[in-house]
Structures are given as C-alpha cells and as structure tokens.
C-alpha cells in the first residue's frame, strides 16, 4: 500500500472520516487515493482558512477530529488564523500538510518554506514524517495527539515521495483517552470554599457548558447560592429551554470587573482566571478582584462536568428544577436592529439548532434574546480572529446533517472566508446565514474611543466605513450558488428567516440593520 492510501486508511481506523482539503501537486496521491478509499469523505474548500475553521466547527460538535489537507507551507499559512481559533477552542484537528519530495527540498524551490515553524505556534504536536514506512504509526500518533485531552491541533507534515512510496500496513487505532476527574483534595477544597460563607462563584469553561455540566452546576448553585458564570470564549455552550440559564462574563473589562467585584473565591472548572480581551490605558487586565482566591476544580483537560456532579454529590444536593427564560416575542412592525434580529431568531430557532456566532458588535443583544430559544448549541469566536463563523458553520453542518445551522455574521467578518458559501452549496449543507449588515467595522468605532485613539477623522473613517462601495450580498451569495434575500424591516426578516429555517439547504439573508 502506498503512503497516501495508508494515511487515509489509518485515519479511518481512528474514526477520522472527513478530510477538508485544498490540495496541490504535493498532495495529488491523497486526492487520487480518495477513489480507492470511498469511506473517507473529501470536502473541497476554496481557501485554507475554510478548511481549518470547518475542522474546528466539526470538532466542537462531534468531539472528534476531522483531517485537513493543506498545500505546503503557504497553504498552511492561509489556514493559520482559524487554527489559532481551533487551538483556543481546544478542538482536536489532524492537520496534514504536504511537503516537497525529500530529494527536491535542497533546491529551495518556490514553494519551499519552514513548515514546522509555521505550524508550531498553533499546534500542540508537530511531526515531519521521516520515512514512508512510518506513515501508519505517525498518523495514529497524530490522532492520539489531537485528542489530548485537552484537544489540540496535531500537524503531520508529509513529504510527497512518502505518499507515493510503499508504506506497509495502516496504523493501529489510537487509544481513546479518558478525561480525569479531580482528586479528593481538589473536591474538598472546592466544597469547603462553597461552605465557607465567603462570596464564591463558579467559572465554567470547556465541555462543562454543555447540558450535563450545566445541570450539575445548577445543583451546586441551588444548594450554596454560588453564582455560576460562563467563560466568554468557550467553544460550545448549550442554551435555551431545558438547560439552566448561565451568565456570561461581559466583553468590556469595566462591566466584567463590576460583575465580579464582590467575589472572594472563584472555582475554576475547565477555565482559567478571566482576563479582558484587550489591555486599555489605565484599566486592569484581570477581571476578578485582586484579592480573589482561585480554586481549580477541574483543569482544561479534565472532566469538568463529572467534577461538578461529584461536587454536587459531596454537597448532598438533589436534582435542581430547571427554570428556562421565556421565549422572546416576535417583533411587530419594528425597525430591524440587532435586538429585533435576536428576538426573531430566539422565537423561531428550531430545537437542536446550532448557532455559529460571529456577529461582533451585534452579538450581545442577540445572545441575550437567545436565552429563551429552544435548546441549541452556541459556537462563538474563540480566539478573537474574525473570519471563522462561516467556516465553523460548514464544519458544524458536516458534523450534524440533521440539525439546522444558523450562522450569525457581521458583514465585515463574513468577508474573510466567504468562500465557505460555495462549500455550503456544493455539499448541500443546511445552513441559514444571516448577515448583520451595518456596513461598517462598527466595533472599531467603540474601540477607537476606548483606546484613547481620539475622534474618527475623515481618513480614519475610510478604514472603518464599508459603504463605498457597498457589498452586494445577494449577488455574492448567488455567485457561490447560495440563494439570498435582503430584509430591511423586522417583518421582512421574520418572513425570510421563517422561510429559511422551514426549508433545507443553504440560504443567506442580508439583514440591513439600523
Ligand atoms: C483576522 C482579524 N483581522 C482583524 C481583526 C480586527 N477586527 C476586529 S473586529 C473587526 C471589524 C468588525 O467588523 P464587522 O465584522 O463588520 O462587525 P461589527 O463591528 O460591524 O459588528 C476587525 C477588523 C480581527 N479581529 N481578526
């Protein structure tokens, strides 16, 4: 068996059956091997940032890695932003990068680059394959490294000659890692902190923000009165009817510091001590009070949900009643704003939907209204680099073909990886894309003030304004094979959103918001 086939068969033996790719000459053997290994689903993405963002979205929804297949160092470089976001999401990704054949490398040909150096900052594991015969073992090791825990990007660099040379048998399945639970001491410290009477809270991140962790946290809250808070940039939060409501730490440090002001103890469950997104002149970067004591109930690679269940058992609390926020009312005759978009999505979102949120300055009002939606999974931008929402939506839709995916996209952010629309159409994915069209890098107006950079003059305005020329989302979407409509009032948006979620397939709604 040649190396390319050995790699695909080893991935399949490890339950990795999706490869998001943008191949070139050095990866031709892999492309041709797809015809001999039909169980591997190859999905073409027209920019590598779509491959990496989709791998992230897929991992967030399945807990298992997809593979990418990228073209040498420059192809990997195009994927880096969304690999950065995947790293912050602790998403397992098997990141396969083709390399020149070993004999060719010495010539410093046009595409030659230091691939390992490109890969290292976003990868928890990097290996350049040493010989064709090591392919099976290395591919299994890549899957094992990607799974962690916690999940990470594992980059395997494959010289082209090893893909066309005899490689022997596929690698064995990697052991499935089990997440560890806290030891008795961690549990005792957390329980005592909650019993101490000091103002205490729990800060949840990682997988604890899914139903099992939230239900256990609610038990702890009922028994102790401790406030339960969500890490803002966790990969996936389950929300809506049937899961306990959870408060998210605000974006701006002043509001976050005000929320956390009274806390003397914060118990961290798959989360780090919270810090603000940016540093601002004269403002502290840490969000908890300076004298706050942190206790780690579960670190980021541990089983936080299991830890919370143990903590609730330790505190001897029965199951808690779950009170959900009410479903928002549909707007009626109101202007189209982020808030009325939020109310509409909150009212109409079908149960089990997945929301990829890259709404930037529109995110907060929408998030608030989605608390009362039917149960859904919320996937935010984890690493602050925009251009991931559409790609994450592709990955989530590939992972969960029977769940509706809604991508909430600020118009500026949507421009970074809009090629994702083509993959949505090509793969017949069930995604409703809502473009929050304020025709501006709106958040930068706010940040301009906050950083003390001063008023926006006419030349600075040109760096923030997106009206000259305006994007034509209808034509852009149709150009990629996605049907599109424009809504300018809340009533129009209700009609179009309802129609989009009732049908299957990819649709784009440009919501022109005030
Ligand atoms: C890859 C990347 N480049 C640049 C930025 C800086 N940045 C943050 S928000 C933003 C513009 C956001 O505009 P838009 O997506 O339209 O959202 P709005 O602020 O209008 O809600 C930019 C350029 C970033 N975060 N990531």
């Amino acid at each position: 068996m040649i190396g390319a086939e050995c790699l695909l068969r080893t991935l399949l033996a490890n339950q990795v059956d999706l490869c998001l790719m943008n191949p070139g000459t050095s990866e031709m053997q892999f492309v041709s091997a797809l015809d001999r290994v039909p169980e591997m689903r190859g999905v073409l993405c027209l920019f590598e940032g779509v491959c990496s963002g989709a791998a992230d979205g897929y991992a967030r929804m399945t807990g298992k890695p997809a593979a990418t297949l990228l073209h040498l160092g420059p192809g990997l470089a195009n994927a880096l932003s969304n690999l950065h976001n995947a790293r912050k999401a602790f998403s397992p990704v098997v990141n396969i990068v083709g390399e020149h054949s070993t004999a060719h490398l010495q010539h410093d040909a046009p595409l030659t680059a230091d691939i390992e150096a490109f890969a290292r900052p976003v990868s928890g594991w990097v290996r350049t394959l040493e010989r064709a015969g090591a392919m099976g073992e290395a591919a299994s090791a890549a899957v094992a490294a990607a799974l962690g825990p916690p999940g990470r990007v594992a980059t395997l660099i494959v010289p082209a000659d090893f893909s066309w040379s005899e490689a022997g048998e596929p690698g064995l399945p990697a052991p499935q890692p089990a997440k560890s639970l806290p030891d008795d001491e961690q549990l005792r410290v957390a329980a005592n902190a909650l019993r101490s009477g000091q103002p205490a809270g729990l800060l949840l991140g990682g997988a604890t923000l899914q139903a099992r962790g939230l239900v256990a946290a609610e038990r702890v809250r009922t028994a102790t009165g401790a406030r339960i808070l969500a890490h803002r940039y966790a990969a996936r939060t389950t929300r809506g009817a049937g899961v306990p409501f959870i408060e998210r730490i605000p974006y701006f440090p002043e509001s976050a510091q005000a929320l956390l002001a009274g806390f003397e103890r914060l118990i961290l469950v798959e989360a780090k001590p919270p810090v603000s997104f940016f540093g601002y002149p004269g403002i502290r970067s840490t969000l908890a009070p300076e004298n706050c004591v942190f206790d780690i109930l579960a670190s980021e690679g541990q089983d936080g949900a299991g830890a919370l269940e143990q903590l609730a058992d330790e505190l001897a609390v029965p199951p808690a009643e779950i009170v959900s926020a009410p479903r928002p009312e549909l707007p009626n005759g109101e202007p189209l704003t982020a808030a009325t978009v939020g109310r509409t999505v909150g009212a109409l979102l079908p149960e089990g939907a997945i929301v990829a949120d890259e709404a930037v300055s529109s995110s907060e009002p929408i998030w608030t209204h989605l608390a009362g939606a039917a149960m859904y999974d919320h996937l935010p931008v984890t690493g602050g680099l925009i251009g991931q929402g559409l790609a994450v939506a592709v990955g989530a839709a590939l992972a969960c073909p029977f769940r509706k995916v809604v991508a909430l996209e600020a118009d500026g952010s949507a421009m970074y990886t809009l090629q994702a629309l083509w993959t949505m159409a090509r793969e017949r994915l069930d995604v409703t894309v809502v473009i929050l069209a304020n025709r501006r890098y709106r958040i930068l107006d706010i940040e301009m003030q906050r950083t003390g950079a001063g008023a926006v003059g006419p030349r600075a305005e040109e760096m923030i304004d997106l009206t000259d020329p305006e994007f034509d989302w209808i034509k852009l979407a149709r150009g990629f094979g996605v049907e599109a409509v424009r809504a300018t009032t809340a009533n129009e948006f209700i009609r179009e959103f309802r129609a989009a979620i009732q049908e299957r397939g990819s649709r784009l709604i440009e919501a022109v918001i005030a």
Side-chain angles (χ1 to χ4, degrees):
M1 187 185 302
I2 62 165
E5 191 168 330
C6 174
L7 175 70
L8 296 192
R9 292 201 183 282
T10 304
L11 293 175
L12 285 173
N14 282 284
Q15 278 105 50
V16 178
D17 54 8
L18 172 68
C19 185
L20 299 146
M21 55 174 75
N22 192 274
T25 307
S26 39
E27 296 80 37
M28 287 295 102
Q29 296 288 343
F30 295 104
V31 175
S32 120
L34 284 175
D35 284 320
R36 298 189 296 282
V37 188
E39 303 87 344
M40 176 61 72
R41 181 171 183 185
V43 170
L44 180 61
C45 304
L46 304 184
F47 176 69
E48 292 83 348
V50 179
C51 301
S52 52
D56 180 10
Y58 179 87
R60 292 196 211 181
M61 292 313 303
T62 59
K64 67 174 191 165
T68 61
L69 182 64
L70 309 175
H71 186 47
L72 299 109
L76 169 61
N78 279 346
L80 286 180
S81 295
N82 277 336
L83 288 174
H84 162 88
N85 285 325
R87 182 174 84 88
K88 296 286 181 177
F90 296 104
S91 289
V93 177
V94 176
N95 185 39
I96 297 164
V97 186
E99 170 61 295
H100 282 310
S101 58
T102 44
H104 191 64
L105 259 180
Q106 58 186 307
H107 302 298
D108 194 23
L111 274 160
T112 304
D114 187 345
I115 303 179
E116 286 196 7
F118 285 176
R120 226 170 265 121
V122 293
S123 309
W125 182 97
V126 180
R127 175 167 164 187
T128 301
L129 191 68
E130 310 79 9
R131 57 194 171 82
M135 184 73 90
E137 174 268 313
S140 285
V143 177
L147 287 171
R152 53 196 149 158
V153 177
T155 300
L156 178 63
I157 301 161
V158 183
D161 46 333
F162 300 160
S163 71
W164 66 60
S165 305
E166 175 58 39
E169 290 301 303
L172 298 172
Q176 290 291 317
K179 287 184 173 181
S180 67
L181 284 162
D183 58 33
D184 290 348
E185 179 63 10
Q186 281 171 291
L187 208 59
R188 198 183 52 76
V189 169
N192 285 345
L194 292 171
R195 289 191 190 111
S196 70
Q198 284 177 291
L202 278 91
L203 179 59
L204 311 190
T208 59
L209 291 169
Q210 293 165 43
R212 184 176 156 221
L214 292 173
V215 167
E218 183 65 10
R219 284 173 65 199
V220 174
R221 193 187 67 75
T222 330
T224 63
R227 202 118 160 225
I228 313 287
L229 300 164
H231 174 49
R232 193 179 177 86
Y233 308 105
R236 171 178 168 189
T237 299
T238 306
R239 302 183 79 217
V243 282
F245 174 79
I246 185 157
E247 225 171 331
R248 180 170 76 162
I249 295 199
Y251 175 78
F252 289 118
E254 297 89 334
S255 325
Q257 285 163 356
L259 175 75
L260 296 174
F263 287 101
E264 292 173 19
R265 303 288 283 257
L266 261 184
I267 297 167
L268 303 174
V269 198
E270 295 192 38
K272 290 198 182 76
V275 294
S276 71
F277 209 87
F278 289 108
Y280 298 96
I283 296 181
R284 192 159 48 85
S285 294
T286 52
L287 300 178
E290 275 163 313
N291 60 351
C292 179
V293 175
F294 295 101
D295 303 299
I296 299 172
L297 177 63
S299 61
E300 278 157 319
Q302 288 190 295
D303 176 4
L308 285 165
E309 284 173 349
Q310 288 192 339
L311 180 63
D313 290 343
E314 170 83 18
L315 296 163
V317 267
E321 192 196 340
I322 292 162
V323 183
S324 307
R327 271 225 179 193
E329 298 271 322
L330 278 175
N332 188 5
E334 289 164 54
L336 192 56
T337 61
T340 49
V341 167
R343 275 162 60 198
T344 306
V345 176
L348 299 179
L349 200 65
E351 179 158 359
I354 301 165
V355 173
D357 174 3
E358 192 170 48
V360 191
S361 69
S362 300
S363 178
E364 202 61 36
I366 298 180
W367 162 270
T368 307
H369 291 298
L370 294 194
M375 194 189 293
Y376 80 99
D377 279 303
H378 196 100
L379 312 181
V381 179
T382 49
L385 280 221
I386 52 178
Q388 79 146 58
L390 292 173
V392 158
V394 165
L398 288 164
C400 304
F402 302 110
R403 296 176 65 175
K404 191 66 156 185
V405 177
V406 175
L408 301 173
E409 279 292 316
D411 52 357
S413 297
M415 273 294 158
Y416 289 69
T417 45
L418 81 166
Q419 309 89 333
L421 294 172
W422 182 83
T423 301
M424 288 177 194
R426 148 76 73 102
E427 298 295 325
R428 314 284 186 268
L429 301 181
D430 191 13
V431 183
T432 300
V433 177
V434 177
I435 300 288
L436 284 309
N438 59 12
R439 315 215 193 281
R440 207 166 169 75
Y441 282 168
R442 167 90 183 92
I443 190 85
L444 298 189
D445 286 326
I446 303 165
E447 297 290 16
M448 189 76 92
Q449 300 297 323
R450 294 183 48 84
T451 54
V456 179
R459 301 195 63 218
E461 170 67 13
E462 286 178 17
M463 303 301 119
I464 297 179
D465 169 76
L466 302 177
T467 59
D468 183 20
E470 259 177 24
F471 317 137
D472 187 334
W473 280 104
I474 311 301
K475 284 189 186 152
L476 288 168
R478 288 184 184 155
F480 286 115
V482 171
E483 198 36 63
V485 287
R486 182 171 291 133
T488 56
T489 64
N491 283 2
E492 282 172 15
F493 182 70
I494 293 167
R495 189 183 67 226
E496 299 303 342
F497 188 73
R498 187 178 268 138
I501 60 162
Q502 278 169 359
E503 286 171 35
R504 276 189 64 82
S506 294
R507 295 272 178 286
L508 181 143
I509 306 169
E510 182 187 20
V512 182
I513 54 170

